[in-house]
Amino acid sequence: MTSNKSQDSDFKTLQDPFAQREAEKYEHPIPSRELILLLIEQFGKPLRRQQIAQQFSLESADELEALRRRLRAMERDGQLVFNSRQKYCLGDGHKTIAGRVLGHPDGFGFLKPDDGSDDLFISPREMKSLMHNDRVKVRVSGIDRKGRREAVLDEVLERNTHQVVGRFYLEGRVAYVVPDNKKINHEVLIAKEDIGGAKNGQIVVVEIIQQATSHCQPLGKVTEVLGLHMAPGMEIEMAIRSHELPNSWPDALLAEIKGLKPEVPETAKQNRQDIRNLPLVTIDGEDARDFDDAVYAQKTEKGWKLLVAIADVSHYVQVGSALDTEAKSRSTSVYFPEKVIPMLPEILSNGLCSLNPAVDRLCMVCELLINEDGIVIRSRFFEAVMRSHARLTYTHVAQMVVDGDQELTKKHAALMPHLQNLYDLYKSMRYQRELRGAMDFDTQETRIVFGANRKIEQIVPVVRNDAHKLIEEFMITANTAAAKFLNRKKMPRLLRIHDGPGTEKLLTLKTFLGELGLHLGGGNNPRPLDYMHLLESVKQRKDAHLIQTVLLRSMSQAVYSPDNKGHFGLALDAYAHFTSPIRRYPDLLVHRAIRHCLADKSVESFQYNFNDMVILGEHCSANERRADEATRDVVNWLKCEYMMDKIGQEFAGIISAVTGFGFFVELQSIFVEGLVHIASLHQDYFNFDATSHQLFGERTGVRYRLGDTVRVKVVRVNLDDKKIDFELLQAAKKTTKSKIVEKKPDKAVGKAPRKNKSSKSTSPAVSKPKPKRRRKI
């Protein structure tokens, strides 16, 4: 790069290639936009307006005013960014960025770019014409006061909100619907002729007949009246429609499955290995209805032989069939409390494909030879016909092989040697899992117990015993073998990938740990083993729960992709989903690829290529998120309903999240989460420290930190917004004044008011996703 002195000379003598255009348009022409961009690009650093004017020898008042207006216009168009130091730097305005819109209840939004770059802020003004989940192209218009790139809409690529579910209101001659999904900030207007018999206050389904614009609210038509808000099961009906979950079977599919019988036809059993004599068993939860995996282990001279038999869904669901089209559309079964929306019709999910006891079933088997140290030394796949010898539950298996329950042991005497083999093998494999550093966070799952009229009786913790861990370990091993097999065959395949922590999250995590005197090994590329070593070292600390939570939140989300990036959480180089084809479409795709290889067909003749897998991976990942969001909405609603008669009651709880507007508390006895708003903390002026996950008072030294134990009172439950508000009863711990002064607050988030002012909660009752089902890895 040339010196600034040389640059000064170059630009004062350089002829503007667009000078004639500028002279034709303006009485007092100034350098063109192109020349201004070239100036900043060659300088290689941001410039003040005065510096730009000096480079072009602009001195008169008219010239300086024209330059100011041009720079502002370039800023609006995203060609330039005006940074916090009041300098102009090159923007991305000449580029468009495609991505998905993420709405926020407060009216603004974010763009999640397709290229994986950082999210862009979308102002409430720009969100007027957009809805949550729309796909758009935007340009960068500048940097907001919090240092975020701000987006301006360039083009709407795809509208993804075609219907909304919400409460119908009729006020005079104006009818409108307030969506239940708070990420949709628009009220949908309803014309008189499109009310469809809805009455004030009812829950309705509305078809969007005209999307929102910058000047007009969206218009809709009532297509279904669901009924009253508090009707039993209404929360599930709302979630299904709000998230547009497919929940009815197309006529073409019903016609296709009409000829299926409950029994496997004899012709389908031919040319398969017969393993019906092997005592394979299924081990699942008490409330499981579809059984897609069965296991068997036998001792060998050098270790064990493990068979993981998986329902052969690919035999029944042919590529391009109506069954396949619907399974792909759904991508996953959705599990609500006491209700399931299956990926496949019941005759398959609970019948022909389910490995029910004492009936013949088609299966795909992963056979693994494992040595005494628990290391897989060889694996193979084959098609078979099997017969499950028992339907066992996690609870009963643990009582037999761990606790030695005599009554159950006697009842299953014929199976006990095989169950003991399974348990002995698991213990060896568990040791290998710990050696490689696979994540095993101690998270708490819960289950909602219903009484009469679907009223919640209690929320109970799910106890995870060694039988859960045994099945999980065997499924992980089979999934890993499937990924390695398809990698060896160079097949187009869909993998389950999980990236390690990103640079920014890792820096935040290390800063947090440093304040506690802790160190995460691995430098800039920590391994899973580094995480587990740290967790092991803090087990006896009082803040162990806090440290585990922060470690867990530094992780990214697992997704489906054909790119082999490995699975960080499981410390595996390659991983696929093979073991649940009844409820997950990616598993079905893996089965098809394996069957293609077993038939000794060429890679080129496979029905899918790499690009197909990219598209399918994105589709399945999005539908997995959709299912999780729908389930979370239902659980939040039910928990709010459960708390409605507990207003005024006091509970002990743990701070589960800290934000700039307060902190969330999970009640220890009933596992419900609510918000203590910062406006209710009267005694001080609180700053939010995002790095150390705490609010701290400037005057008193009081701090509220993630993992702290507090006592709260339930003061408000809002069923419509799925919010619960608590009031703090027990004062938090105090810290020394000097320690607080050293901390640098996150100015971007805001502070508590100095005076007590009424303020509404701004986050849902459960602000963060609960841990997913343990076998969803």
Side-chain angles (χ1 to χ4, degrees), residues 465-702:
N465 56 41
D466 274 6
H468 289 86
K469 297 175 184 178
L470 175 150
I471 290 297
E472 180 181 288
E473 194 60 40
F474 294 163
M475 297 305 113
I476 290 173
T477 306
N479 286 336
T480 306
K484 290 181 176 179
F485 175 78
L486 294 178
N487 284 349
R488 286 198 305 271
K489 298 292 184 179
K490 302 188 185 309
M491 286 292 292
R493 70 279 182 266
L494 206 52
L495 301 173
R496 184 68 164 175
I497 64 170
H498 182 226
D499 287 332
T503 304
E504 187 175 336
K505 285 188 175 181
L506 184 60
L507 179 61
T508 301
L509 173 62
K510 289 192 170 186
T511 303
F512 166 77
L513 294 172
E515 291 184 353
L516 299 179
L518 298 172
H519 173 70
L520 176 67
N524 294 327
N525 294 292
R527 301 165 301 160
L529 192 60
D530 296 316
Y531 271 71
M532 299 317 293
H533 282 164
L534 178 60
L535 273 179
E536 190 67 29
S537 70
V538 300
K539 271 188 175 180
Q540 304 306 317
R541 291 176 57 128
K542 291 182 179 180
D543 56 0
H545 176 76
L546 162 65
I547 296 166
Q548 175 182 285
T549 302
V550 176
L551 286 171
L552 188 59
R553 291 180 185 175
S554 72
M555 299 286 96
S556 59
Q557 185 177 21
V559 296
Y560 294 107
S561 170
D563 294 318
N564 189 15
K565 297 181 179 179
H567 196 294
F568 183 82
L570 295 175
L572 294 169
D573 295 330
Y575 192 67
H577 272 171
F578 161 76
T579 55
S580 296
I582 293 177
R583 63 184 178 90
R584 291 188 307 221
Y585 195 73
D587 301 57
L588 175 56
L589 293 172
V590 168
H591 276 239
R592 286 173 177 166
I594 292 173
R595 290 190 75 186
H596 190 85
C597 293
L598 295 180
D600 203 23
K601 296 179 181 178
S602 67
V603 173
E604 292 74 22
S605 65
F606 190 44
Q607 298 98 327
Y608 306 96
N609 58 34
F610 182 87
N611 290 334
D612 294 331
M613 289 299 176
V614 170
I615 295 169
L616 285 166
E618 292 172 353
H619 172 76
C620 291
S621 297
N623 284 356
E624 180 187 40
R625 289 192 300 269
R626 178 180 69 175
D628 288 341
E629 288 171 2
T631 304
R632 193 159 54 247
D633 280 355
V634 169
V635 171
N636 290 351
W637 195 97
L638 289 169
K639 288 184 175 182
C640 285
E641 183 189 29
Y642 178 61
M643 296 299 292
M644 288 188 72
D645 62 355
K646 295 172 177 58
I647 294 175
Q649 294 185 26
E650 300 177 8
F651 298 91
I654 293 177
I655 296 179
S656 55
V658 183
T659 72
F661 53 82
F663 54 84
F664 289 86
V665 176
E666 184 179 83
L667 306 184
Q668 289 179 305
S669 54
I670 56 179
F671 307 100
V672 170
E673 196 172 54
L675 174 70
V676 175
H677 200 279
I678 198 168
S680 67
L681 304 175
H682 312 154
Q683 71 270 37
D684 204 346
Y685 181 54
F686 285 88
N687 289 290
F688 171 49
D689 187 339
T691 302
S692 58
H693 301 270
Q694 69 174 352
L695 289 169
F696 57 89
E698 288 187 353
R699 180 176 55 83
T700 61
V702 170

Side-chain angles (χ1 to χ4, degrees), residues 165-167 201-205 224-229 234 238:
V165 180
R167 186 169 291 195
Q202 287 185 318
I203 303 298
V204 299
V205 181
E224 187 179 3
V225 178
L226 297 180
L228 298 175
H229 198 206
M234 180 60 71
M238 291 174 67

Side-chain angles (χ1 to χ4, degrees), residues 396 398-413 416:
H396 286 170
Q399 288 173 343
M400 285 185 280
V401 299
V402 180
D403 303 330
D405 185 289
Q406 293 186 357
E407 186 177 340
L408 283 172
T409 300
K410 185 177 180 181
K411 179 181 177 181
H412 298 286
M416 279 308 299

Side-chain angles (χ1 to χ4, degrees), residues 719-751:
L719 200 57
D720 285 339
D721 292 341
K722 305 180 188 73
K723 296 175 183 176
I724 302 172
D725 287 326
F726 296 148
E727 182 181 280
L728 188 68
L729 297 177
Q730 179 179 303
K733 297 179 291 184
K734 289 191 176 183
T735 57
T736 64
K737 191 87 171 184
S738 60
K739 184 176 181 179
I740 293 169
V741 171
E742 291 172 2
K743 292 187 176 292
K744 187 177 181 180
D746 186 347
K747 299 290 185 183
V749 182
K751 305 175 182 178

